[in-house]
Amino acid sequence: AQSVSQHNHHVILSEAASLELGCNYSYGGTVNLFWYVQYPGQHLQLLLKYFSGDPLVKGIKGFEAEFIKSKFSFNLRKPSVQWSDTAEYFCAVSRPFGGATNKLIFGTGTLLAVQP
Amino acid sequence: SQTIHQWPATLVQPVGSPLSLECTVEGTSNPNLYWYRQAAGRGLQLLFYSVGIGQISSEVPQNLSASRPQDRQFILSSKKLLLSDSGFYLCAWSGQDYGYTFGSGTRLTVV
């Protein structure tokens, strides 16, 4: 079965530090990849997504992610974090040709705390 | 534009009581609909999905059930709640572009 692994469950950084959150998925075929963010008390928001094309994807708020097919990875990066980036981050995968369902499978999430 | 409504926002229910959470979508037709549960430390777990009226698929065995009585209505139910049903429940829909839109969620506490 398809699965998504986020190895960093809790990350604490100081402001201006660089961020990289790992995401690996298990499905070997074509996939759509997503990063979502949930700020405290708010809805899930889409940070960025990859369907095809340039494997380096730019999202909102200075985030980017790189799809490395050979490593089944889609790591999220930001060169310099801010206190306002404190949130929970979820990696997610769906299969574009997985039938009518388009199920989105999430990782367990990474809680990022940025200290001022 | 498409919107998704989910209610109630918070709910405290005793063990053994029934549950009904409702989700409705506006501005689209024949969406794929999903119920997710977010439990502490476990991320977002897909519970049910539906590709059409009356069509429900369950992803994990549990004490809950789902129904889709109308094209844009998705209901999560339980006949008798367990303590382990506590969590944050999210409804979502997706369309042809594979994008997902999430509701605001229901925080369920079973006491």
Side-chain angles (χ1 to χ4, degrees):
Chain A
Q2 200 173 333
S3 68
V4 181
S5 299
Q6 290 181 245
H7 307 293
N8 314 104
H9 298 296
H10 199 172
V11 173
I12 302 173
L13 293 174
S14 298
E15 274 193 315
S18 64
L19 170 72
E20 180 158 4
L21 301 182
C23 173
N24 289 90
Y25 61 94
S26 63
Y27 182 63
T30 303
V31 291
N32 291 336
L33 298 157
F34 306 80
W35 274 98
Y36 284 85
V37 61
Q38 189 171 28
Y39 297 102
Q42 295 188 27
H43 302 183
L44 270 175
Q45 299 176 38
L46 181 66
L47 264 183
L48 47 80
K49 62 187 178 186
Y50 172 80
F51 287 177
S52 64
D54 188 346
L56 186 61
V57 180
K58 302 240 183 251
I60 60 172
K61 304 186 181 187
F63 286 91
E64 65 178 30
E66 185 175 12
F67 170 51
I68 303 179
K69 189 174 181 180
S70 61
K71 294 185 179 180
F72 300 92
S73 70
F74 190 55
N75 292 356
L76 181 72
R77 299 194 293 246
K78 186 170 183 178
S80 176
V81 294
Q82 301 171 328
W83 177 78
S84 58
D85 293 323
T86 294
E88 191 160 17
Y89 293 81
F90 295 94
C91 181
V93 173
S94 71
R95 291 168 54 190
F97 306 111
T101 62
N102 188 31
K103 293 184 291 183
L104 196 59
I105 306 301
F106 284 87
T108 51
T110 297
L111 204 54
L112 171 66
V114 180
Q115 297 175 332
Chain B
S1 63
Q2 302 95 349
T3 56
I4 180 167
H5 301 281
Q6 194 178 337
W7 67 91
T10 59
L11 192 58
V12 180
Q13 292 283 101
V15 168
S17 63
L19 173 74
S20 180
L21 303 181
E22 190 161 341
C23 171
T24 59
V25 180
E26 294 178 359
T28 186
S29 59
N30 197 30
N32 289 343
L33 295 172
Y34 310 84
W35 277 110
Y36 284 86
R37 178 170 58 203
Q38 186 176 11
R42 297 189 62 185
L44 280 149
Q45 183 182 35
L46 179 61
L47 302 177
F48 300 96
Y49 64 89
S50 170
V51 299
I53 296 173
Q55 299 179 61
I56 308 294
S57 295
S58 174
E59 285 292 294
V60 292
Q62 58 204 309
N63 183 43
L64 302 167
S65 62
S67 61
R68 186 170 176 175
Q70 300 179 44
D71 181 45
R72 286 169 283 182
Q73 184 184 28
F74 203 26
I75 297 171
L76 183 70
S77 304
S78 173
K79 291 182 180 176
K80 288 185 178 180
L81 283 168
L82 306 172
L83 286 173
S84 57
D85 293 324
S86 293
F88 189 62
Y89 290 85
L90 278 168
C91 180
W93 76 272
S94 71
Q96 294 298 319
D97 67 349
Y98 304 111
Y100 262 57
T101 301
F102 288 88
S104 53
T106 297
R107 173 76 59 193
L108 171 67
T109 304
V110 182
V111 296

